[in-house]
Amino acid sequence: MTGKIRFAPSPTGYLHEGHLLSALYVWAAAKKWGLHVHLRIEDHDRGRTRQAYIDGIREDLEWLGFTHDSESIQSERTAIYQGVLEKLIEKDLIYPCTCSRKQLEAENPKSETGEIIYQGKCRSLAGHCLDNSIPPHNLRFKATDKVINWNDYRLGSFNENPATQCGDFPIRDREGSWTYQFAVCVDDIDQDITHIIRGEDIRNSTARQIVLSESICEVLGRPYKQPFYLHHALIADASGKKLSKRELAHSIRQDKEQGISPEELFGRVLFKAGIHPANNPTSLSEAIGEIAESL
């Protein structure tokens, strides 16, 4: 094998068609480029994670026929995240932020997509990460003010500056949970992920993850190599919105309970994604092969 790729669902609900499309892309890339497939269960959102959803991920993947080479779950990696955090604090790259959600909305501009661009109000608290007298707070990473050049296999080249795109961003929330941005960067580095395939709704996270990953590698004393990126198109619901567990998207588990076969699911997903011209049952190997040929 020449590299490593991950399928990384969050157990905040059951898998749906959007997850299935991502899985097909991940396993297709693994087939095409001879990659090790790592299943990473991203349960950093402790408030919404449920054991039933964790079990459901494994059960649904097995029912669908997907097999992976290794597996991890983020809740078992707290010591690793804490160790990286302490090294970033030593380099003065982290600071506590006591801004409430209301303050963030009122005091900061927003991007064209509606994302808050944090203006660094709490940077004056740098050096006080371990000060227990500070009110409830999250921890923010100082986003380097520089343009990040990166390439997407499908969408082309991007030049983005996280400092102006989102500003300093959180890596741990006020409840003590690691954020997606932080956990995924630490994991990708620690687990030697070389290829990242995910939905295009996550595309705007890429530059900030590169900046953070560069700093993590620096404090760990290891070289940073930018991964291969591919952000695939999304499957939308009847209203045109992307499928979401928050919006209670119809789950694969529900399809299974209704007697829908994996082959019917693969065919339906390929059709909805515009990969196949007709909604016909398709085997897993055929679905993976068809996407692999398109890469």
Side-chain angles (χ1 to χ4, degrees):
M1 295 182 179
T2 58
K4 193 173 185 180
I5 194 169
R6 78 305 202 265
F7 178 60
S10 298
T12 55
Y14 291 114
L15 298 181
H16 54 61
E17 289 179 341
H19 296 111
L20 179 52
L21 179 62
S22 282
L24 289 171
Y25 267 101
V26 166
W27 267 263
K31 174 182 174 65
K32 185 178 182 70
W33 294 307
L35 306 175
H36 173 113
V37 178
H38 181 77
L39 172 62
R40 184 165 73 216
I41 298 177
E42 297 191 340
D43 60 341
H44 55 271
D45 189 342
R46 297 187 301 189
R48 296 172 59 218
T49 291
R50 300 289 182 271
Q51 185 62 45
Y53 298 147
I54 295 174
D55 296 338
I57 289 171
R58 297 180 175 124
E59 292 166 2
D60 290 346
L61 289 176
E62 181 178 3
W63 177 70
L64 290 165
F66 291 102
T67 58
H68 50 277
D69 302 298
S70 58
E71 181 178 328
S72 65
I73 184 166
Q74 289 181 331
S75 56
E76 297 176 354
R77 297 173 53 78
T78 299
I80 295 173
Y81 303 141
Q82 185 64 33
V84 173
L85 171 63
E86 291 171 2
K87 290 182 179 297
L88 292 172
I89 289 175
E90 289 175 4
K91 292 295 184 179
D92 194 32
L93 294 173
I94 307 294
Y95 64 90
C97 174
T98 61
C99 295
S100 66
R101 184 177 298 275
K102 185 176 180 179
Q103 286 177 298
L104 292 174
E105 291 281 347
E107 299 174 2
N108 297 279
K110 292 184 178 181
S111 68
E112 293 180 357
T113 61
E115 182 178 20
I116 290 173
I117 306 172
Y118 187 67
Q119 300 298 288
K121 177 180 179 178
C122 289
R123 272 203 178 198
S124 60
L125 295 177
H128 294 274
C129 289
L130 306 179
D131 186 348
N132 293 326
S133 66
I134 297 177
H137 59 273
N138 60 37
L139 295 177
R140 288 187 183 272
F141 171 75
K142 293 181 180 178
T144 306
D145 185 10
K146 69 174 182 179
V147 174
I148 300 298
N149 305 302
W150 64 279
N151 185 71
D152 182 275
Y153 187 76
R154 168 177 167 258
L155 301 174
S157 298
F158 291 89
N159 303 296
E160 298 172 326
N161 185 345
T164 57
Q165 183 186 36
C166 63
D168 300 341
F169 52 90
I171 65 166
R172 196 178 72 186
D173 66 22
R174 59 184 57 209
E175 281 76 41
S177 293
W178 307 105
T179 66
Y180 162 74
Q181 305 291 4
F182 182 67
V184 73
C185 289
V186 174
D187 286 347
D188 285 342
I189 292 167
D190 185 62
Q191 294 166 348
D192 297 317
I193 301 300
T194 59
H195 291 64
I196 296 174
I197 293 183
R198 55 196 181 190
E200 62 185 9
D201 55 320
I202 308 296
R203 186 206 61 76
N204 67 353
S205 288
T206 306
R208 69 197 72 173
Q209 289 178 4
I210 291 173
V211 164
L212 178 55
S213 295
E214 288 176 339
S215 292
I216 291 172
C217 283
E218 183 178 353
V219 300
L220 293 178
R222 59 181 291 177
Y224 172 71
K225 183 177 181 181
Q226 196 174 117
F228 167 102
Y229 288 104
L230 189 159
H231 292 83
H232 61 77
L234 305 177
I235 295 178
D237 62 18
S239 67
K241 294 182 179 179
K242 74 154 188 162
L243 297 180
S244 168
K245 285 173 287 192
R246 285 183 182 271
E247 301 296 331
L248 302 178
H250 186 83
S251 71
I252 289 171
R253 178 151 299 220
Q254 289 172 296
D255 283 320
K256 178 181 178 182
E257 292 171 349
Q258 293 170 8
I260 304 297
S261 69
E263 291 75 19
E264 289 173 295
L265 277 173
F266 299 140
R268 190 173 76 197
V269 165
L270 291 181
F271 174 68
K272 286 186 175 182
I275 298 169
H276 201 273
N279 184 0
N280 297 322
T282 306
S283 71
L284 176 58
S285 61
E286 290 172 336
I288 289 174
E290 189 164 350
I291 293 179
E293 288 180 5
S294 71
L295 295 178

